[in-house]
Amino acid sequence: MVAIIRRGEDYIRSLREGNHPIVYYDGKVVDDIVDHPAFRIPVRTTASYYDLHWDPVKREKLRHYSPELGEEISISFMIPRSKKDLRRMAEGLVTIYDSYRGFFGRSPDYLNMWSAVFAAHHEYFSKHFGPRYGENAIEIYKRHAKNDLFFTHAIVAPMYDRSKPPSQWTDPYIWAGVVKETPEGVIVRGAAMISTSAAYAEWLWYLPNIRRDTDPRYAIFFAIPTNTKGVKIIARRSFAPRDGYSEFEYPISSRYEESDGLLIFDDVLVPWENIIFYKKPEEIENFMWHEVRLRAWFNWHFVIQHYSRLKFLAGLAIAIAQASGIDGFINVQEKIGEILIYLALNEAALYGSIELAEELPNIVRPNAQIAISASHFNMKALPRANEILRLISAGASMPIPSSIKDFENPEERAYIEKYLAMKGIDAVERVKLFNLLWDVIGSEVGMRYEQYDRFSRGDPTIRWAQTYTEVYRSKHEELKKIVRDILDQMPNPRQ
């Protein structure tokens, strides 16, 4: 069986060969994306994703023989044809996110899944946009999977003036749109935020949220190499540990910092063969909610990420409570119990969405109502879990020595070992545990993840409202009938 799964060194070599966008950082164009201080952590964590597929213990869970391609590929490229397939895909993704402790959400597997979903629905693109668009979806998937490429994506318009749609802004090309068509393709100009991992991704999917503006110029979904002429990234300030600090002080930041950036299309030529959706903004509802139901898939992926994260957060809460000797207090037990309830609900949602999956002729997809509702719930549950960690650790999270070097001064170490030990652990283990805690609840990386958990699917108010207006709309009458049946059995007053 031929395997086309890369190793981490193959991905790093690809970046060194120039398969990444022009990236601006600190007023300069980045010359070496692999070793630049702002990007070397996520580059190496991404490389570890590829190496995980070669781990002798985990490789069987992370590989899949594709009948479509006739080769062995990453499980995240699977087009599931049965509930058994979908469960196997879920277990592979859980294996990946357990290795990340539920962080690093813009890992290559995320967009691998998108490309597979688009290919499975190629008939949708052919039916609504023309045969070549369906063919494009298949060919992009094949190229993506056969080369095991790292795709990222961008969706959101820059926040210029939320009171008006982008087509009414002073410059309608602040948001990316089609400027003109050519025989080779279309010219796209504008920008999008937030493009996580774009600085070190090899390709990207651009899929704007055209609910915000139905002007046809914005209605284009495409995939292109990130080193295409005119593709540029303005990266945010890195949250990597400062010089002199390491995994001891920042065990999460030193592994799972992932860069975000503003994606710019400076009159980029997008070839016709790279486009799957064009000029029909009215199709966005069908694409997101009905025929393709992309929302079901990406929210299901978030549930997997958050299931892994909640396992980690629950373990962290238990470790802190037991080390501090507060795990016998009823108020602490209640709070840890709350995190464990969130964990149980996510596990139930993940496996329930598989058991109640929609079995279509072209793909088996997770139950949309369960997956979307659970993901939307986590927009509040994950920040609440962080809040609980702050509450149970209280002031003990603050007086931690500045670095590992404090233990290398014998005089200082004697004080640390006496006054910073805890009932259940010695001073070294206590400092390590509370460094880990702080990197989750107080560091720049920790706060970035919390902000991302709240808003990466949009405004939580809108998403929770959509559970009523969109996700469960098809069940309104069924649910009302339960009430109607009781009302019909109640006697009416005599006339």
Side-chain angles (χ1 to χ4, degrees):
M1 185 183 297
V2 178
I4 49 177
I5 297 169
R6 294 196 293 182
R7 294 182 184 269
E9 63 187 20
D10 301 317
Y11 162 67
I12 288 176
R13 184 184 309 113
S14 175
L15 293 183
R16 292 197 190 281
E17 291 170 354
N19 293 306
H20 61 79
I22 292 173
V23 179
Y24 296 102
Y25 189 87
D26 202 20
K28 301 174 184 176
V29 173
V30 175
D31 293 325
D32 182 359
I33 205 78
V34 172
D35 292 319
H36 190 283
F39 308 108
R40 62 186 173 211
I41 289 173
V43 165
R44 280 153 184 80
T45 302
T46 301
S48 76
Y49 157 85
Y50 289 105
D51 286 336
L52 198 65
H53 290 73
W54 295 87
D55 183 292
V57 176
K58 299 184 170 91
R59 60 183 290 160
E60 291 305 313
K61 285 189 174 183
L62 300 180
R63 291 164 174 254
H64 160 68
Y65 177 76
S66 167
E68 292 85 7
L69 301 176
E71 296 174 281
E72 192 174 61
I73 56 176
S74 171
I75 194 74
S76 52
F77 284 116
M78 176 191 277
I79 298 176
R81 305 293 185 182
S82 66
K83 291 181 181 180
K84 183 179 178 181
D85 281 352
L86 189 61
R87 185 183 183 95
R88 184 161 179 266
M89 183 179 182
E91 289 174 348
L93 293 172
V94 168
T95 299
I96 292 169
Y97 282 91
D98 280 353
S99 77
Y100 296 145
R101 279 56 171 185
F103 295 99
F104 213 69
R106 198 59 73 251
S107 176
D109 56 277
Y110 184 56
L111 274 300
N112 292 359
M113 184 184 71
W114 286 34
S115 289
V117 170
F118 299 156
H121 288 282
H122 64 92
E123 291 183 356
Y124 163 82
F125 297 105
S126 295
K127 178 175 69 174
H128 294 285
F129 302 96
R132 71 176 174 184
Y133 295 97
E135 293 167 7
N136 291 350
I138 294 172
E139 291 306 312
I140 292 169
Y141 167 67
K142 287 180 177 179
R143 181 184 298 174
H144 189 175
K146 285 188 173 184
N147 294 284
D148 206 10
L149 297 165
F150 179 17
F151 274 54
T152 190
H153 78 326
I155 294 177
V156 182
M159 199 173 291
Y160 176 73
D161 181 356
R162 294 294 294 273
S163 70
K164 298 177 182 177
S167 58
Q168 296 178 22
W169 292 350
T170 305
D171 180 352
Y173 289 103
I174 291 175
W175 194 20
V178 174
V179 177
K180 66 177 180 179
E181 297 180 356
T182 74
E184 294 78 24
V186 299
I187 305 298
V188 175
R189 179 188 303 159
M193 68 162 202
I194 300 172
S195 190
T196 301
S197 299
Y200 42 91
E202 297 159 297
W203 275 64
L204 66 85
W205 275 110
Y206 178 65
L207 296 98
N209 177 13
I210 50 178
R211 266 187 159 186
R212 293 203 57 207
D213 196 321
T214 57
D215 189 309
R217 83 183 89 185
Y218 304 124
I220 181 170
F221 297 172
F222 61 83
I224 53 169
T226 55
N227 65 358
T228 301
K229 182 181 179 182
V231 176
K232 301 174 182 180
I233 301 294
I234 299 176
R236 66 153 168 81
R237 178 168 50 85
S238 171
F239 301 149
R242 300 189 302 276
D243 287 345
Y245 293 94
S246 67
E247 292 182 20
F248 181 87
E249 295 84 11
Y250 292 98
I252 299 299
S253 301
S254 61
R255 291 178 176 90
Y256 307 125
E257 151 72 341
E258 52 183 358
S259 178
D260 309 298
L262 177 69
L263 169 66
I264 297 169
F265 295 117
D266 187 3
D267 285 5
V268 172
L269 172 62
V270 179
W272 289 113
E273 61 265 27
N274 290 22
I275 301 170
I276 63 169
F277 184 115
Y278 190 50
K279 276 190 172 179
K280 290 189 176 180
E282 67 276 8
E283 268 303 308
I284 186 61
E285 301 300 323
N286 209 14
F287 175 81
M288 294 299 290
W289 293 101
H290 304 297
E291 286 192 61
V292 179
R293 266 198 171 172
L294 183 61
R295 280 202 178 275
W297 285 101
F298 71 69
N299 280 292
W300 186 67
H301 194 282
F302 273 108
V303 172
I304 290 169
Q305 294 177 39
H306 295 154
Y307 172 50
S308 293
R309 181 95 65 82
L310 284 162
K311 284 189 279 188
F312 164 70
L313 296 178
L316 184 56
I318 292 168
I320 289 167
Q322 291 182 352
S324 307
I326 58 173
D327 58 311
F329 300 167
I330 189 68
N331 59 315
V332 174
Q333 293 171 348
E334 178 203 23
K335 289 178 174 61
I336 296 175
E338 185 177 338
I339 297 178
L340 291 169
I341 288 169
Y342 297 154
L343 172 58
L345 291 175
N346 272 265
E347 185 172 29
L350 174 57
Y351 291 103
S353 68
I354 296 168
E355 182 61 29
L356 299 178
E358 299 173 82
E359 298 177 277
L360 306 174
N362 54 322
I363 195 170
V364 172
R365 69 183 168 210
N367 181 279
Q369 289 168 335
I370 296 173
I372 296 171
S373 299
S375 174
H376 290 177
F377 174 74
N378 288 340
M379 297 170 84
K380 298 184 181 182
L382 266 293
R384 171 59 181 164
N386 284 354
E387 181 186 18
I388 288 170
L389 286 168
R390 293 187 187 99
L391 292 172
I392 65 172
S393 61
S397 64
M398 304 297 289
I400 301 301
S402 60
S403 80
I404 197 170
K405 293 178 183 178
D406 291 291
F407 286 92
E408 297 169 4
N409 178 336
E411 179 182 355
E412 184 182 5
R413 181 166 186 154
Y415 291 127
I416 293 172
E417 289 180 343
K418 180 176 181 179
Y419 297 115
L420 284 181
M422 278 183 145
K423 169 181 173 287
I425 52 175
D426 63 26
V428 173
E429 288 302 304
R430 186 264 174 93
V431 171
K432 288 166 68 175
L433 179 62
F434 278 77
N435 278 343
L436 177 59
L437 170 69
W438 188 254
D439 213 4
V440 172
I441 65 170
S443 71
E444 287 183 303
V445 162
M447 297 310 298
R448 179 264 181 195
Y449 272 107
E450 184 168 320
Q451 194 76 348
Y452 210 87
D453 294 335
R454 290 180 189 274
F455 297 109
S456 62
R457 278 88 79 214
D459 183 335
T461 300
I462 293 173
R463 294 295 173 253
W464 278 48
Q466 283 176 335
T467 308
Y468 166 67
T469 62
E470 298 285 355
V471 181
Y472 271 83
R473 183 170 59 183
S474 64
K475 289 200 170 185
H476 285 186
E477 293 306 314
E478 176 187 336
L479 296 172
K480 286 196 301 182
K481 185 177 182 301
I482 298 170
V483 177
R484 184 75 262 165
D485 287 347
I486 295 177
L487 295 179
D488 289 344
Q489 294 172 34
M490 295 166 64
N492 291 320
R494 286 180 289 182
Q495 297 295 327

